[in-house]
């Protein structure tokens, strides 16, 4: 059975890609679906030269994988990766991304969640964006919308750019990052009217029951993908 590969992007940095990806991994595991989360490119490391988001994906994945396979391209400084690549004299290699994707897709998995870095148009160099690689690989996209003031503009710009790239927007998640956001429910309803893809779920700010939220998200993903939710 072929691995179902998804690319997880967001409206901007700190919109909650890793948090939602880990919830999806937990929910898929609860549905007896073997899933792995990976982060092709990361910037910002600990003393062991490992990225915190990638470590969370590694921890919640259904298969134990070495860190280097979870996060093949990593830079020390917590800055835009293409700028870190220049400073550290280690260019971002699309060939390495291609090769690693092949390795991921040969794993004994049902789901592969590929988490981006930053927003949709993350630069790889002076001309290319990570979105160009996603389009080349024809990966379906899940968009995480960080619900806060300004998110309507950020969300719709991203949705339009995903469509312009020729990628399929499989669904989106409303992640409530601002507990004090005015008219949050109305904003979510507005986005549901505007985004031509299903809302997979709403993640509350610091949810009381992560397990239930995870299960709901995974169930929505399985339904949207045409899979049996058992």
């Amino acid at each position: 059975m072929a691995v179902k590969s998804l690319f997880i992007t967001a409206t901007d940095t700190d919109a909650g890609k890793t948090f939602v990806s880990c919830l999806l991994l937990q929910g898929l595991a609860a549905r007896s679906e073997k899933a792995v989360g990976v982060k092709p490119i990361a910037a910002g490391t600990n003393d062991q030269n490992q990225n915190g988001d990638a470590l969370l994906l590694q921890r919640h994945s259904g298969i134990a994988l070495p860190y280097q396979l979870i996060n093949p391209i990593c830079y020390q400084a917590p800055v835009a990766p293409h700028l870190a690549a220049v400073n550290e004299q280690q260019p971002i290699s699309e060939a390495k991304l291609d090769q690693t994707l092949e390795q991921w897709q040969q794993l004994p998995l049902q789901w592969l969640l590929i988490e981006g870095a930053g927003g949709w148009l993350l630069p790889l160099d002076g001309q290319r964006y990570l979105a160009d690689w996603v389009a080349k690989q024809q990966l379906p996209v899940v968009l995480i919308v960080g619900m806060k003031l300004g998110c309507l503009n950020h969300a719709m710009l991203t949705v339009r750019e995903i469509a312009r790239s020729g990628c399929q927007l499989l669904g989106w998640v409303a992640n409530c990052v601002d507990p004090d956001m005015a008219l949050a429910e109305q904003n979510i309803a507005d986005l549901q009217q505007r985004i031509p893809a299903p809302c997979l779920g709403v993640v509350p700010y610091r949810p009381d029951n992560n397990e239930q939220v995870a299960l709901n998200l995974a169930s929505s993903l399985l339904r949207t993908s045409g899979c049996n939710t058992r």
Side-chain angles (χ1 to χ4, degrees):
M1 183 182 296
V3 177
K4 301 176 184 70
S5 303
L6 302 177
F7 185 80
I8 312 292
T9 192
T11 42
D12 55 10
T13 301
D14 295 330
K17 290 188 303 298
T18 304
F19 181 54
V20 174
S21 294
C22 288
L23 287 174
L24 282 168
L25 290 170
Q26 293 172 64
L28 288 168
R31 288 290 190 184
S32 300
E33 299 276 332
K34 193 165 288 187
V36 159
V38 297
K39 194 167 181 73
I41 302 170
T45 64
N46 59 19
D47 293 339
Q48 287 75 46
N49 292 323
Q50 295 178 332
N51 176 263
D53 291 343
L55 287 171
L56 284 171
L57 295 173
Q58 183 185 39
R59 183 186 310 165
H60 290 286
S61 290
I63 295 178
L65 296 176
Y67 179 85
Q68 275 299 123
L69 190 54
I70 294 284
N71 176 212
I73 299 175
C74 190
Y75 299 100
Q76 292 183 352
V79 298
H82 73 297
L83 300 180
V86 173
N87 289 343
E88 297 180 27
Q89 298 182 343
Q90 295 179 14
I92 298 173
S93 167
E94 281 195 59
K96 186 170 186 177
L97 294 178
D98 294 341
Q99 180 184 22
T100 310
L101 179 61
E102 288 186 15
Q103 289 180 268
W104 291 331
Q105 292 180 332
Q106 291 170 8
L107 294 169
L109 299 173
Q110 290 161 296
W111 293 88
L112 173 67
L113 308 186
I114 305 170
E115 183 190 315
W120 178 244
L121 289 181
L122 179 89
L124 297 180
D125 53 31
Q127 291 79 37
R128 297 277 291 175
Y129 296 88
L130 186 54
D132 297 324
W133 178 77
V134 176
K136 180 179 74 174
Q137 298 295 343
Q138 298 183 314
L139 296 170
V141 179
V142 171
L143 171 65
I144 313 304
V145 179
M147 297 304 302
K148 60 183 181 180
L149 186 64
C151 69
L152 299 182
N153 177 61
H154 293 161
M156 296 317 301
L157 284 173
T158 306
V159 168
R160 286 189 176 187
E161 187 61 24
I162 290 170
R164 192 192 67 79
S165 74
C167 291
Q168 175 198 6
L169 179 60
L170 187 66
W172 63 283
V173 175
N175 185 34
C176 300
V177 296
D178 179 6
D180 301 317
M181 182 184 185
L183 304 179
E185 291 184 4
Q186 291 93 325
N187 275 267
I188 292 169
D190 191 83
L191 285 172
Q192 287 174 324
Q193 293 291 324
R194 296 178 189 276
I195 297 178
C199 178
L200 301 178
V202 177
V203 178
Y205 181 77
R206 295 182 179 175
D208 295 328
N209 190 339
N210 275 12
E211 291 80 8
Q212 189 60 53
V213 173
L215 194 58
N216 292 343
L217 284 175
S219 297
S220 294
L221 178 62
L222 290 166
R223 282 195 301 270
T224 300
S225 304
C227 300
N228 185 353
T229 59
R230 287 192 291 276

